[in-house]
Amino acid sequence: MAFYHQYGSRRPMSEINMVPFIDVMLVLLVIFMITTPLLTQGVKVELPQTEAKALPPDQKEPLIVTVDASGNYFLNISSKPNQAITARVLSNLVTSQLAASKGATEQRPVLVRGDKNTNYGKVIEAMALLQQAGAKSVGLITQLPSKNAMAPSEKQAS
């Protein structure tokens, strides 16, 4: 902070130096630009494309089981959501979560996110494990089709 005396005035004039402030802001900008792409979480899954209604936003956070292309299971509420878990661990975690929310009026939604290239049997196995763990209903997560994608019948015709 600099103090200047104006001619004929006895009060000091204070002025904020903006250069250090701008330097700090630029450093923060660079840090956020570097770290933001690294924050992408989740397992890379190619979802099948269908048209379906979205879930209402007022529901509880759903339990989401992901089945990747190689048939590994992942659970969004596990201690390490990006690490594959076994069927037994999946069943135990879901059972404990559903038992904890048993007193609530509505059961927590349970959803399966299956890669479109995975074995169909692995997705069905995940759904069966979830039902055995106490899930009353199990939903499937899909992706809306892109607008420029052609229907399968159109692809064959061209």
Side-chain angles (χ1 to χ4, degrees):
M1 190 179 297
F3 291 98
Y4 300 103
H5 291 288
Q6 291 180 351
Y7 183 74
S9 171
R10 298 228 176 238
R11 292 187 319 178
M13 188 176 91
S14 62
E15 181 178 300
I16 296 175
N17 189 357
M18 294 297 290
V19 174
F21 175 71
I22 293 170
D23 289 345
V24 169
M25 295 304 292
L26 287 173
V27 167
L28 288 173
L29 177 68
V30 169
I31 289 171
F32 287 128
M33 286 174 57
I34 292 171
T35 59
T36 301
L38 302 176
L39 295 177
T40 305
Q41 295 180 350
V43 180
K44 184 165 175 49
V45 173
E46 289 187 43
L47 293 173
Q49 297 183 351
T50 62
E51 291 186 28
K53 291 184 194 174
L55 290 176
D58 58 344
Q59 286 188 342
K60 299 177 185 176
E61 180 188 5
L63 296 175
I64 300 176
V65 176
T66 302
V67 183
D68 69 357
S70 57
N72 297 320
Y73 298 124
F74 301 87
L75 186 61
N76 68 329
I77 58 155
S78 66
S79 58
K80 296 181 181 176
N82 294 335
Q83 185 176 1
I85 57 176
T86 63
R88 175 183 273 172
V89 172
L90 172 66
S91 181
N92 290 340
L93 286 171
V94 172
T95 301
S96 65
Q97 285 294 318
L98 293 177
S101 65
K102 206 167 208 167
T105 56
E106 280 188 24
Q107 187 182 32
R108 200 168 172 182
V110 180
L111 304 171
V112 175
R113 236 178 107 212
D115 191 295
K116 70 178 182 179
N117 299 319
T118 193
N119 183 352
Y120 179 69
K122 286 302 241 182
V123 174
I124 296 302
E125 185 180 327
M127 293 176 76
L129 284 169
L130 293 169
Q131 286 183 337
Q132 290 170 0
K136 292 179 183 169
S137 65
V138 179
L140 292 172
I141 296 178
T142 59
Q143 186 175 21
L144 289 174
S146 59
K147 295 190 186 236
N148 59 3
M150 296 185 334
S153 60
E154 293 173 1
K155 288 182 183 177
Q156 292 172 355
S158 58

